[in-house]
């Protein structure tokens, strides 16, 4: 008897704090995923780093042996200056001297990476004025970009996701949830094909030193706004039509980011994912959800009717394939 009572009380306790338990497991899973990534990256990349360090030491020792007039501190001072300039996107190599990092097209590409928070890091402001302007430009531009992308994605989602799902649901009678899942998978496949596989094939042809995997890696790192900067297109010394190429890449990144956000919004609207996300949210109290109309004297009957009318208009706009009574009446009168 006591065991059954204790078991039922434990079940009630777990059910009462289910959201907190789910959130705790979510935090634990995320930390374990971070540790898992660190272990894999360390085990895979550490041997390559060790080989590269050994190779550089051998080259440095051989260079000093062949040039006895040059001391090791002088060589390290020169290499330090070269690496510092390379971090700012300036190279001392003769085959890279023709590429400017701050002409108009390169500056446009840099501005797009800053506002989209991609930030490759291959080009950074050199002067104090440029750094100060970058801060002010980003403070204003990043929220502006978020507003712009939100508006564009909302409009595109209406035409690309909501209307097709409603069309098949209303006209053909399919289940709305099934149609939404199939549509999301199909939209994701089309987006991956148009903004990952096809551009990766194009980059592998236009960039001399890139294979298909490296090109696909650049597309993913860019459109996911990670922006590591180890692969940046249009930086080759023999790049033809470099200005036009940079503008094309800027347009590709902007359109690809919009497409990625549309796909994410489409998947986030799935009923199954909404239920899954709610498992980790804090539940609202019933007192916060209930609205007592009689306690609010400022709500008049006219305002309520106006709100109801506006809600009906919004529903009509969101369901464009449902015929309105006035339209039906006009159509019958015409016949």
């Amino acid at each position: 008897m006591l065991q059954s009572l204790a078991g039922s009380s434990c079940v009630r306790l777990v059910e009462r704090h289910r959201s907190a338990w789910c959130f705790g497991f979510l935090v634990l899973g995320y930390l374990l995923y971070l540790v898992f990534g660190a272990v894999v990256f360390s085990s895979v990349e550490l041997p390559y780093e060790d080989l590269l360090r050994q190779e550089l030491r051998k080259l440095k020792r051989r260079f000093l042996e062949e040039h006895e007039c040059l001391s090791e501190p002088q060589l390290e001072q020169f290499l330090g200056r070269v690496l510092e300039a390379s971090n700012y996107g300036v190279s001392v190599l003769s085959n890279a001297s023709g590429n400017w990092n701050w002409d108009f097209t390169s500056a446009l590409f840099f501005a797009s990476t800053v506002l989209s928070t991609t930030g490759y890091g291959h080009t950074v402001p050199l002067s104090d004025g440029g750094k100060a302007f970058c801060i002010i430009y980003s403070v204003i531009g990043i929220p502006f970009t978020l507003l712009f992308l939100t508006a564009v994605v909302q409009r595109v989602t209406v035409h690309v996701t909501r209307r097709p799902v409603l069309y098949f649901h209303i006209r053909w009678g399919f289940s709305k949830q099934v149609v939404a899942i199939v549509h999301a998978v199909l939209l994701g496949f089309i987006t991956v094909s148009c903004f990952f596989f096809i551009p990766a094939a194009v980059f592998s042809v236009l960039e001399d030193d890139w294979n298909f995997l490296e090109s696909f890696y650049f597309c993913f790192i860019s459109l996911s706004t990670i922006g590591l900067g180890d692969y940046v297109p249009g930086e080759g010394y023999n790049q033809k039509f470099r200005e036009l190429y940079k503008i094309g890449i800027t347009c590709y990144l902007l359109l690809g980011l919009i497409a990625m956000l549309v796909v994410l919004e489409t998947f986030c609207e799935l009923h199954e994912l909404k239920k899954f996300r709610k498992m980790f949210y804090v539940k609202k109290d019933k007192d916060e959800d209930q609205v007592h109309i009689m306690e609010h004297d400022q709500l008049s009957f006219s305002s309520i009717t106006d709100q109801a009318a506006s809600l009906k208009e919004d529903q009509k706009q969101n369901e464009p394939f449902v015929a309105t009574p006035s339209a039906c009446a006009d159509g019958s009168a015409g016949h």
Side-chain angles (χ1 to χ4, degrees):
M1 183 67 179
L2 294 176
Q3 292 180 354
S4 61
L5 290 175
S8 61
S9 62
C10 291
V11 171
R12 288 196 300 269
L13 181 64
V14 171
E15 289 294 331
R16 185 181 303 174
H17 302 283
R18 184 179 180 182
S19 177
W21 283 102
C22 291
F23 179 74
F25 284 119
L26 178 66
V27 173
L28 179 61
Y30 185 75
L31 294 177
L32 291 176
Y33 194 72
L34 284 176
V35 174
F36 169 74
V39 171
V40 172
F41 282 125
S42 178
S43 60
V44 172
E45 296 297 330
L46 190 59
Y48 287 92
E49 181 185 2
D50 184 52
L51 290 175
L52 183 58
R53 287 177 180 272
Q54 294 179 7
E55 182 182 358
L56 289 176
R57 291 194 189 99
K58 291 179 181 179
L59 290 175
K60 178 183 176 181
R61 191 181 306 111
R62 185 184 306 171
F63 183 83
L64 290 174
E65 290 176 355
E66 294 177 354
H67 302 80
E68 296 180 356
C69 60
L70 183 64
S71 63
E72 185 174 357
Q74 291 176 342
L75 178 61
E76 290 186 353
Q77 183 179 3
F78 172 74
L79 292 178
R81 183 57 179 167
V82 170
L83 292 176
E84 182 181 358
S86 179
N87 292 332
Y88 284 95
V90 179
S91 176
V92 297
L93 299 178
S94 59
N95 56 10
S97 60
N99 293 338
W100 292 89
N101 295 321
W102 293 105
D103 54 357
F104 177 76
T105 53
S106 299
L108 180 64
F109 180 70
F110 172 78
S112 66
T113 58
V114 168
L115 296 184
S116 62
T117 66
T118 303
Y120 291 112
H122 70 292
T123 302
V124 293
L126 301 174
S127 62
D128 294 338
K131 295 174 183 177
F133 176 75
C134 184
I135 295 174
I136 300 173
Y137 185 73
S138 302
V139 168
I140 300 174
I142 292 177
F144 188 26
T145 303
L146 293 176
L147 176 62
F148 166 73
L149 291 177
T150 302
V152 173
V153 169
Q154 191 273 337
R155 291 177 177 271
V156 174
T157 304
V158 170
H159 296 282
V160 173
T161 299
R162 295 174 184 172
R163 288 189 177 182
V165 171
L166 286 175
Y167 176 80
F168 284 99
H169 172 63
I170 295 174
R171 290 296 179 90
W172 299 93
F174 294 110
S175 174
K176 190 174 182 179
Q177 296 181 4
V178 175
V179 173
I181 294 175
V182 174
H183 174 268
V185 173
L186 183 61
L187 183 63
F189 176 77
I190 294 174
T191 302
V192 170
S193 300
C194 295
F195 290 94
F196 286 91
F197 286 106
I198 295 177
V202 173
F203 283 127
S204 63
V205 174
L206 297 178
E207 298 292 333
D208 297 332
D209 300 332
W210 295 12
N211 54 29
F212 182 80
L213 177 60
E214 293 170 336
S215 302
F216 189 89
Y217 169 80
F218 163 76
C219 295
F220 176 80
I221 292 297
S222 299
L223 297 185
S224 59
T225 67
I226 298 174
L228 296 179
D230 48 352
Y231 289 93
V232 180
E235 297 299 321
Y237 70 95
N238 59 348
Q239 184 68 56
K240 297 181 180 179
F241 306 104
R242 185 172 182 269
E243 291 77 11
L244 185 61
Y245 188 37
K246 283 284 188 179
I247 294 176
I249 296 170
T250 303
C251 296
Y252 160 73
L253 293 177
L254 184 59
L255 294 176
L257 183 60
I258 293 174
M260 289 290 294
L261 292 176
V262 170
V263 173
L264 290 177
E265 181 69 19
T266 301
F267 275 93
C268 287
E269 288 187 356
L270 294 178
H271 180 68
E272 290 76 8
L273 288 181
K274 287 183 178 179
K275 290 177 60 178
F276 180 73
R277 284 183 295 155
K278 288 182 179 179
M279 293 173 55
F280 310 102
Y281 294 165
V282 177
K283 294 183 179 180
K284 295 182 179 180
D285 297 333
K286 293 182 179 180
D287 295 337
E288 295 179 0
D289 295 334
Q290 294 176 353
V291 178
H292 302 283
I293 300 177
M294 299 301 296
E295 296 179 357
H296 299 278
D297 297 334
Q298 67 272 18
L299 291 179
S300 60
F301 180 77
S302 59
S303 63
I304 297 175
T305 55
D306 292 339
Q307 292 177 1
S310 63
L311 288 175
K312 289 182 179 180
E313 292 295 331
D314 293 338
Q315 291 177 356
K316 291 178 182 179
Q317 293 179 359
N318 292 330
E319 298 183 0
F321 296 102
V322 180
T324 58
S326 59
C328 295
D330 294 338
S332 61
H335 290 293

